[in-house]
Amino acid sequence: MPKAILIPIFLIILTGNILLEYGNFKRYTWARKSFGVLFFKTLRNKETSREHFQFTGAIYVLLSALLCLCLFDKGVAAIALTVMLISDSSAALVGRSIGKIKIYKNKTLEGTAAFFISAVLVNLCLVALHPFTLISVVACVVATLAEVYEDKMEIDDNLSIPIFFAAVLTFF
């Protein structure tokens, strides 16, 4: 699908999600019902009980998809977003289930390794979209570091991972 169609679609979905999340925060009945049906089962406690409005991870995922489409080649954007989705999930699942060796705050060596290995595998599986080179490995390292040091950058990793990854693939 052409970028000229994808970008407005993601912009509409992002805008709708922001309005829904804000409406839920303000406790508007229409938003509470819709938001509850769509998201309450998947959100962590810190995302449902807030004193001030703050985006959930979904907003950052949609924003990163929109920015990746606007700033990068579609193939690079697709790989970057897939790395964020699969590798961030892999890191969390492995880190929480078998992670023992703490490397930084709540991050474990096992979860970090799972992120990096899955990012490399995603790149290898999507080689038809962008050639796998040494720069691909560097992009995986940068994305891994963005995940580990998310709190230092104060940027949600659903946004930083794909943007940093795609920037490395594009500009180096």
Side-chain angles (χ1 to χ4, degrees), residues 125-142:
C125 289
L126 299 178
V127 72
L129 298 176
H130 191 275
F132 186 82
T133 65
L134 179 59
I135 295 303
S136 303
V137 176
V138 172
C140 292
V141 169
V142 168

Side-chain angles (χ1 to χ4, degrees), residues 53-72:
F53 179 64
Q54 187 176 358
F55 292 153
T56 63
I59 295 291
Y60 292 105
V61 169
L62 289 167
L63 181 59
S64 66
L66 183 62
L67 289 173
C68 281
L69 279 171
C70 289
L71 300 173
F72 307 108

